Short mmCIF file of all heavy atoms in Angstrom, two decimals:
data_model
loop_
_atom_site.label_atom_id
_atom_site.label_comp_id
_atom_site.label_asym_id
_atom_site.label_seq_id
_atom_site.Cartn_x
_atom_site.Cartn_y
_atom_site.Cartn_z
N ARG N 21 -39.40 45.11 -19.53
CA ARG N 21 -39.08 45.21 -20.96
C ARG N 21 -39.62 46.49 -21.56
O ARG N 21 -40.70 46.96 -21.20
CB ARG N 21 -39.71 44.04 -21.73
CG ARG N 21 -39.29 42.67 -21.26
CD ARG N 21 -37.91 42.31 -21.77
NE ARG N 21 -37.53 40.99 -21.33
CZ ARG N 21 -36.72 40.73 -20.32
NH1 ARG N 21 -36.21 41.72 -19.63
NH2 ARG N 21 -36.40 39.50 -19.99
N LEU N 22 -38.88 47.02 -22.52
CA LEU N 22 -39.32 48.15 -23.34
C LEU N 22 -39.89 47.55 -24.61
O LEU N 22 -39.19 46.84 -25.33
CB LEU N 22 -38.13 49.06 -23.64
CG LEU N 22 -38.37 50.26 -24.54
CD1 LEU N 22 -39.34 51.24 -23.89
CD2 LEU N 22 -37.05 50.96 -24.86
N ARG N 23 -41.18 47.83 -24.88
CA ARG N 23 -41.83 47.22 -26.04
C ARG N 23 -42.70 48.22 -26.78
O ARG N 23 -43.31 49.10 -26.18
CB ARG N 23 -42.74 46.05 -25.62
CG ARG N 23 -42.01 44.89 -25.04
CD ARG N 23 -41.40 44.05 -26.15
NE ARG N 23 -40.78 42.87 -25.60
CZ ARG N 23 -39.47 42.68 -25.53
NH1 ARG N 23 -38.65 43.58 -25.97
NH2 ARG N 23 -38.97 41.58 -25.03
N GLY N 29 -50.55 52.08 -30.28
CA GLY N 29 -49.64 53.04 -30.91
C GLY N 29 -48.76 53.69 -29.86
O GLY N 29 -49.26 54.36 -28.97
N GLY N 30 -47.50 53.45 -29.91
CA GLY N 30 -46.57 54.02 -28.94
C GLY N 30 -45.74 52.93 -28.28
O GLY N 30 -45.76 51.78 -28.69
N TRP N 31 -45.03 53.33 -27.25
CA TRP N 31 -44.15 52.42 -26.54
C TRP N 31 -44.56 52.32 -25.08
O TRP N 31 -45.10 53.27 -24.51
CB TRP N 31 -42.72 52.93 -26.64
CG TRP N 31 -42.15 52.73 -28.01
CD1 TRP N 31 -42.40 53.51 -29.11
CD2 TRP N 31 -41.30 51.69 -28.44
NE1 TRP N 31 -41.74 53.00 -30.20
CE2 TRP N 31 -41.04 51.89 -29.83
CE3 TRP N 31 -40.72 50.60 -27.81
CZ2 TRP N 31 -40.24 51.05 -30.57
CZ3 TRP N 31 -39.90 49.76 -28.55
CH2 TRP N 31 -39.67 49.98 -29.91
N VAL N 32 -44.29 51.16 -24.50
CA VAL N 32 -44.61 50.91 -23.10
C VAL N 32 -43.42 50.27 -22.40
O VAL N 32 -42.57 49.64 -23.04
CB VAL N 32 -45.85 50.00 -22.93
CG1 VAL N 32 -47.10 50.68 -23.44
CG2 VAL N 32 -45.65 48.67 -23.60
N LEU N 33 -43.40 50.43 -21.11
CA LEU N 33 -42.45 49.73 -20.26
C LEU N 33 -43.28 48.68 -19.54
O LEU N 33 -44.21 49.02 -18.79
CB LEU N 33 -41.82 50.72 -19.28
CG LEU N 33 -40.54 50.30 -18.57
CD1 LEU N 33 -39.45 49.94 -19.56
CD2 LEU N 33 -40.08 51.42 -17.66
N LEU N 34 -42.99 47.41 -19.81
CA LEU N 34 -43.75 46.31 -19.21
C LEU N 34 -43.00 45.78 -17.99
O LEU N 34 -41.82 45.43 -18.09
CB LEU N 34 -43.92 45.17 -20.21
CG LEU N 34 -44.69 45.47 -21.49
CD1 LEU N 34 -44.64 44.27 -22.42
CD2 LEU N 34 -46.11 45.85 -21.17
N VAL N 39 -47.94 48.27 -16.39
CA VAL N 39 -47.59 48.78 -17.72
C VAL N 39 -47.47 50.30 -17.61
O VAL N 39 -48.37 50.95 -17.08
CB VAL N 39 -48.66 48.42 -18.78
CG1 VAL N 39 -48.31 49.03 -20.13
CG2 VAL N 39 -48.82 46.92 -18.89
N PHE N 40 -46.38 50.85 -18.10
CA PHE N 40 -46.17 52.30 -18.11
C PHE N 40 -46.18 52.77 -19.56
O PHE N 40 -45.32 52.36 -20.34
CB PHE N 40 -44.83 52.66 -17.47
CG PHE N 40 -44.74 52.27 -16.02
CD1 PHE N 40 -44.30 51.01 -15.64
CD2 PHE N 40 -45.10 53.16 -15.02
CE1 PHE N 40 -44.21 50.64 -14.31
CE2 PHE N 40 -45.02 52.81 -13.69
CZ PHE N 40 -44.57 51.55 -13.33
N GLN N 41 -47.16 53.61 -19.91
CA GLN N 41 -47.22 54.20 -21.24
C GLN N 41 -46.15 55.28 -21.33
O GLN N 41 -46.06 56.13 -20.45
CB GLN N 41 -48.60 54.81 -21.48
CG GLN N 41 -48.82 55.30 -22.89
CD GLN N 41 -49.01 54.16 -23.88
OE1 GLN N 41 -49.60 53.14 -23.57
NE2 GLN N 41 -48.50 54.36 -25.08
N LEU N 42 -45.32 55.23 -22.35
CA LEU N 42 -44.21 56.18 -22.47
C LEU N 42 -44.51 57.28 -23.47
O LEU N 42 -45.06 57.00 -24.54
CB LEU N 42 -42.94 55.44 -22.92
CG LEU N 42 -42.47 54.29 -22.02
CD1 LEU N 42 -41.25 53.63 -22.64
CD2 LEU N 42 -42.15 54.79 -20.63
N ASP N 43 -44.14 58.48 -23.11
CA ASP N 43 -44.22 59.56 -24.09
C ASP N 43 -42.96 59.47 -24.97
O ASP N 43 -42.04 58.71 -24.66
CB ASP N 43 -44.40 60.92 -23.42
CG ASP N 43 -43.21 61.36 -22.58
OD1 ASP N 43 -42.07 60.88 -22.79
OD2 ASP N 43 -43.40 62.21 -21.71
N PRO N 44 -42.92 60.21 -26.07
CA PRO N 44 -41.76 60.11 -26.97
C PRO N 44 -40.43 60.44 -26.31
O PRO N 44 -39.41 59.82 -26.63
CB PRO N 44 -42.09 61.11 -28.08
CG PRO N 44 -43.58 61.18 -28.09
CD PRO N 44 -43.99 61.04 -26.65
N VAL N 45 -40.42 61.36 -25.36
CA VAL N 45 -39.17 61.71 -24.68
C VAL N 45 -38.68 60.54 -23.82
O VAL N 45 -37.51 60.16 -23.86
CB VAL N 45 -39.35 62.99 -23.82
CG1 VAL N 45 -38.12 63.27 -22.99
CG2 VAL N 45 -39.69 64.17 -24.71
N ALA N 46 -39.58 59.96 -23.02
CA ALA N 46 -39.21 58.83 -22.18
C ALA N 46 -38.72 57.66 -23.03
O ALA N 46 -37.76 56.98 -22.67
CB ALA N 46 -40.39 58.40 -21.32
N ARG N 47 -39.35 57.45 -24.16
CA ARG N 47 -38.93 56.37 -25.06
C ARG N 47 -37.51 56.60 -25.57
O ARG N 47 -36.69 55.69 -25.62
CB ARG N 47 -39.91 56.26 -26.22
CG ARG N 47 -39.74 54.98 -27.02
CD ARG N 47 -38.89 55.25 -28.24
NE ARG N 47 -38.76 54.06 -29.03
CZ ARG N 47 -37.57 53.62 -29.44
NH1 ARG N 47 -36.48 54.23 -29.12
NH2 ARG N 47 -37.49 52.57 -30.20
N GLU N 48 -37.19 57.85 -25.93
CA GLU N 48 -35.84 58.17 -26.42
C GLU N 48 -34.79 57.93 -25.33
O GLU N 48 -33.72 57.41 -25.60
CB GLU N 48 -35.76 59.63 -26.90
CG GLU N 48 -36.48 59.89 -28.19
CD GLU N 48 -35.85 59.21 -29.40
OE1 GLU N 48 -34.64 58.88 -29.37
OE2 GLU N 48 -36.57 59.01 -30.39
N LEU N 50 -35.12 55.86 -22.59
CA LEU N 50 -35.04 54.44 -22.25
C LEU N 50 -34.45 53.59 -23.37
O LEU N 50 -33.86 52.55 -23.11
CB LEU N 50 -36.41 53.92 -21.83
CG LEU N 50 -36.89 54.46 -20.49
CD1 LEU N 50 -38.32 54.03 -20.21
CD2 LEU N 50 -35.96 54.02 -19.36
N ALA N 51 -34.58 54.05 -24.60
CA ALA N 51 -33.95 53.32 -25.71
C ALA N 51 -32.43 53.32 -25.58
O ALA N 51 -31.76 52.45 -26.13
CB ALA N 51 -34.37 53.94 -27.05
N MET N 84 -36.30 61.75 -14.32
CA MET N 84 -37.08 60.65 -14.86
C MET N 84 -36.53 59.30 -14.40
O MET N 84 -37.28 58.42 -13.95
CB MET N 84 -37.09 60.69 -16.39
CG MET N 84 -37.99 59.63 -17.00
SD MET N 84 -37.79 59.50 -18.78
CE MET N 84 -36.65 58.14 -18.84
N LEU N 88 -38.24 56.33 -11.99
CA LEU N 88 -38.40 54.93 -12.41
C LEU N 88 -37.69 53.97 -11.45
O LEU N 88 -38.16 52.85 -11.24
CB LEU N 88 -37.90 54.75 -13.84
CG LEU N 88 -38.74 55.44 -14.91
CD1 LEU N 88 -38.07 55.32 -16.28
CD2 LEU N 88 -40.16 54.87 -14.95
#
Side-chain angles (χ1 to χ4, degrees):
R21 303 281 181 259
L22 177 64
R23 294 281 184 252
W31 287 78
V32 294
L33 197 57
L34 298 175
V39 177
F40 297 88
Q41 187 73 36
L42 302 177
D43 66 22
V45 173
R47 193 262 182 230
E48 288 292 337
L50 290 174
M84 185 190 96
L88 292 174

